[in-house]
Amino acid sequence: MQPTATSKANTASHPQQNTQKVSMFSQPKAVWAVVFASIIAFMGLGLVDPILPAIAKKLHASHSDVTLLFTSYNAVMAVAMLITGVVSSRLGIKKTLLAGIIIIALFSALGGMSNSIWSLVWLRGGWGLGNALFVATALSAIVSLSKTGVARSIILFEVAVGLGISVGPLLGGELGAISWRGPFFGVAGLMVIAFFMILFIMPKPQTQIRPQKASLADPFRALKFKALRTFGIAAFLYNFGFFTLLVYAALVLGKLGLDEHQLGYVFLGWGLMLAFTSVFTAPKLQKRFGTVPSMCVQLLLFAVTLFVMANWTTDKTVIIIAVIVAGAFLGNNNTLITTAVMNAAPVERPTASAAYSFLRFIGGAIAPFLAGKLAEWFNPHMPFIVGGACVVVAVIYLWLNRQHLKHVDEVESAH
């Protein structure tokens, strides 16, 4: 595969000697401002987890009703990902980040004032719009402002993802023990802090190189590239397992007697495992075994974990241990696939990210609601069985298309 002008420019902007000599943590203040804001933004993913049983009880909702808090969030994120390139190429990275933060803070605060499950579902959708604008742009911002090259910048972004996902349930559990409304107001307040950090620390817009104006068709054009499409479809499938674990497992543990504090600590352990493996083991796996083989093994281990949870759904200890252990496999896979997507196709990185995220968040939208309904239609074990089966299909799909993905490791080794 011949390098494009874009890939040459990216390589030139991050010389090889710099990536070897500069520590991943030696970053400008602007990068740390974006990382901090990213941690808060990703709190929104796991924040609701520990309070799902409380929300169901207080707002008189069924388990499948409360799963819609994730479905609306992810569905809006999926669609909104298609416009992030258009918005950021016209507003610039900084203004797009600020717009996303404002939307997250607004809808989070309104969610805290909600009095019905359906209004909360709609407000979580608005929150997803803000998250789409912020998350897609944050990755581009960190890569463009970083001194350490693409691979390490992505790892730093995954650190923020892991910390946000882990701290989210902890914050949700602690504030949720006071009131289920507390976590929503907490995120809104933290986002105000993030707003001022981005506003004052990031470079002024005129000092940034603005990308060429994007169009709404760009993400769809990007999906014509087999490698990018393969990773997107694989992520769509494995997100059925991911959100079954994140959402349905919390409801199961709530039924087994865990309160908001305890649920927060369980998913804190899960998130810490995810963050640790994202940084320390995923790069080693990629370097030694290659991206696709490493992803396949990690996803198979995750599928086995889900099948274990399906067999011992009523055993509290097994479910807790399985949730935490699964964080290790998901952390490895997240870093591997995110890095691979950035090198999968000769398109701008924000466009590649938008196209990939569109597919994966569709899976994230369907999976939570489906898990709740499967439990209602069949039995409590079925959501874990279906989630595990989808992850296995993702592995098969990746392996069958591995010949289209070889260049990912070649590009990575060239940086």
Side-chain angles (χ1 to χ4, degrees):
M1 177 178 171
Q2 294 299 315
T4 63
T6 300
S7 62
K8 288 179 181 178
N10 288 330
T11 304
S13 62
H14 300 291
Q16 186 175 355
Q17 63 267 28
N18 287 348
T19 62
Q20 291 177 341
K21 295 181 180 179
V22 181
S23 166
M24 180 180 70
F25 298 103
S26 299
Q27 302 287 358
K29 289 181 181 179
V31 170
W32 291 117
V34 178
V35 168
F36 174 77
S38 298
I39 292 172
I40 300 170
F42 276 101
M43 284 182 185
L45 192 62
L47 176 92
V48 182
D49 246 21
I51 56 174
L52 284 177
I55 290 175
K57 182 178 179 181
K58 296 290 184 182
L59 298 183
H60 309 290
S62 69
H63 281 182
S64 59
D65 288 340
V66 295
T67 61
L68 288 171
L69 296 176
F70 283 87
T71 292
S72 62
Y73 178 83
N74 286 324
V76 172
M77 277 193 73
V79 176
M81 282 294 175
L82 298 174
I83 66 167
T84 54
V86 174
V87 174
S88 64
S89 66
R90 285 158 175 77
L91 292 182
I93 289 177
K94 183 172 182 176
K95 288 182 179 179
T96 306
L97 288 173
L98 293 174
I101 288 173
I102 290 170
I103 294 171
I104 294 170
L106 175 63
F107 281 95
S108 178
L110 290 173
M113 294 184 277
S114 178
N115 291 312
S116 76
I117 186 64
W118 299 110
S119 63
L120 194 56
V121 166
W122 283 107
L123 290 168
R124 277 282 286 181
W127 189 339
L129 171 62
N131 233 47
L133 289 173
F134 180 85
V135 169
T137 315
L139 178 56
S140 300
I142 290 173
V143 170
S144 63
L145 294 169
S146 173
K147 296 178 178 179
T148 60
V150 176
R152 293 185 183 181
S153 300
I154 291 172
I155 293 171
L156 189 60
F157 178 73
E158 290 297 333
V159 172
V161 172
L163 289 175
I165 288 176
S166 59
V167 174
L170 182 63
L171 180 67
E174 295 301 312
L175 295 179
I178 302 170
S179 167
W180 70 264
R181 302 176 188 275
F184 292 90
F185 292 127
V187 166
L190 288 170
M191 271 301 179
V192 172
I193 298 173
F195 177 86
F196 287 108
M197 288 185 69
I198 298 291
L199 182 65
F200 293 116
I201 297 178
M202 273 196 74
K204 294 179 180 180
Q206 59 264 30
T207 66
Q208 301 177 35
I209 300 175
R210 291 197 179 189
Q212 189 176 18
K213 287 187 177 181
S215 77
L216 289 172
D218 286 348
F220 295 104
R221 293 193 189 102
L223 289 174
K224 292 179 181 179
F225 292 98
K226 183 72 173 180
L228 185 60
R229 188 167 70 249
T230 298
F231 286 126
I233 292 173
F236 168 85
L237 290 165
Y238 103 79
N239 261 357
F240 277 82
F242 183 99
F243 281 96
T244 296
L245 181 93
L246 186 64
V247 181
Y248 181 68
L251 293 170
V252 168
L253 289 171
K255 275 189 173 181
L256 294 175
L258 269 66
D259 62 19
E260 291 88 350
H261 285 294
Q262 293 166 329
L263 280 170
Y265 291 133
V266 169
F267 281 94
L268 170 66
W270 171 78
L272 289 175
M273 288 290 284
L274 189 147
F276 178 84
T277 54
S278 293
V279 180
F280 296 105
T281 62
K284 293 178 181 178
L285 290 172
Q286 189 276 334
K287 186 175 181 180
R288 182 167 183 179
F289 302 108
T291 298
V292 174
S294 298
M295 282 178 61
C296 288
V297 170
Q298 296 305 306
L299 289 176
L300 282 175
L301 290 171
F302 177 45
V304 169
T305 306
L306 289 170
F307 292 139
V308 168
M309 296 171 78
N311 196 54
W312 285 280
T313 305
T314 57
D315 190 318
K316 180 168 61 178
T317 303
V318 171
I319 298 298
I320 290 172
I321 293 173
V323 167
I324 295 171
V325 169
F329 308 137
L330 291 170
N332 282 325
N333 185 69
N334 284 354
T335 295
L336 288 166
I337 197 168
T338 304
T339 307
V341 164
M342 293 297 101
N343 298 320
V347 298
E348 294 287 343
R349 291 192 176 103
T351 301
S353 178
Y356 160 75
S357 297
F358 168 68
L359 290 176
R360 69 167 171 151
F361 282 119
I362 289 177
I366 298 171
F369 185 66
L370 178 62
K373 283 299 182 184
L374 287 171
E376 292 177 6
W377 293 335
F378 299 100
N379 56 61
H381 312 277
M382 188 58 66
F384 293 122
I385 294 171
V386 173
C390 288
V391 175
V392 171
V393 173
V395 173
I396 295 170
Y397 183 74
L398 277 172
W399 193 250
L400 290 177
N401 289 280
R402 65 190 183 279
Q403 69 272 19
H404 301 292
L405 310 175
K406 292 179 180 178
H407 69 280
V408 170
D409 286 323
E410 295 170 2
V411 171
E412 184 57 36
S413 63
H415 281 274

